[in-house]
Amino acid sequence: MDLTLLWYLVAVLLALIGLAGTVLPALPGVPLVFAGMLLAAWADGFERVGLATLAVLGVLTVVSLVVDLWASAIGARRVGASGLALAGAVIGTVVGLFFGLVGVFLGPFAGAVIGELAHLRRVDRRGLGQAARVGVGTWVGIVIAVGLKLTLSFAMIGIFALVWLLG
């Protein structure tokens, strides 16, 4: 097997794992997509996709990381989430991975609700209604972040493919 072909296969595999990672929070999705494209460009000796294109793709990767943090935090903060709710959402996301697609979507919500209930129990007993609002707000923020990351990932792949085909 030609070594260059092996590099291309690894690059495609990285990009596919990265796309999965835009939905599965345990994986650094967009950075893996970028790593796959960087590897493919390197395997080609940067003949078709040069440093300027890779710089643009790198900036989009950084934007995706900022968007991820921003959208998740805004969703939670708009409904007054506590630190425990945010930690619960992260833990719920990780635990949710073991329960398939349903767990990926319900885990952050359940974790945020449990975290907020733990916080409220210690603070002022506002109750289940506030915890549910926090859970929904956190979940909406995560869903928006995933949508934005998917959009950025596909835009990056489109840019890469266009430059590759024209190069």
Side-chain angles (χ1 to χ4, degrees):
M1 175 186 257
D2 181 19
L3 193 56
T4 304
L5 178 60
L6 179 63
W7 288 124
Y8 287 143
L9 290 174
V10 171
V12 169
L13 184 62
L14 278 172
L16 290 174
I17 292 170
L19 282 175
T22 59
V23 178
L24 303 172
L27 297 172
V30 182
L32 285 174
V33 170
F34 177 73
M37 291 185 283
L38 179 62
L39 180 60
W42 173 80
D44 185 51
F46 301 102
E47 288 184 26
R48 293 183 182 160
V49 177
L51 295 179
T53 301
L54 290 171
V56 169
L57 297 175
V59 167
L60 290 175
T61 300
V62 171
V63 167
S64 79
L65 297 173
V66 171
V67 159
D68 190 23
L69 294 173
W70 174 80
S72 298
I74 291 297
R77 299 224 174 167
R78 286 186 59 83
V79 292
S82 67
L84 284 175
L86 296 175
V90 171
I91 293 167
T93 299
V94 173
V95 171
L97 293 174
F98 296 103
F99 296 97
L101 192 57
V102 171
V104 168
F105 286 106
L106 292 181
F109 170 78
V113 168
I114 291 167
E116 188 66 13
L117 283 173
H119 169 75
L120 294 173
R121 194 170 140 218
R122 291 189 320 182
V123 178
D124 65 7
R125 303 187 191 282
R126 286 183 284 179
L128 188 58
Q130 170 64 13
R133 281 190 295 282
V134 165
V136 169
T138 302
W139 183 80
V140 167
I142 290 170
V143 168
I144 290 170
V146 166
L148 291 172
K149 288 188 304 182
L150 273 172
T151 300
L152 282 168
S153 293
F154 282 115
M156 290 169 61
I157 290 169
I159 291 167
F160 184 87
L162 182 64
V163 171
W164 182 275
L165 292 173
L166 295 177

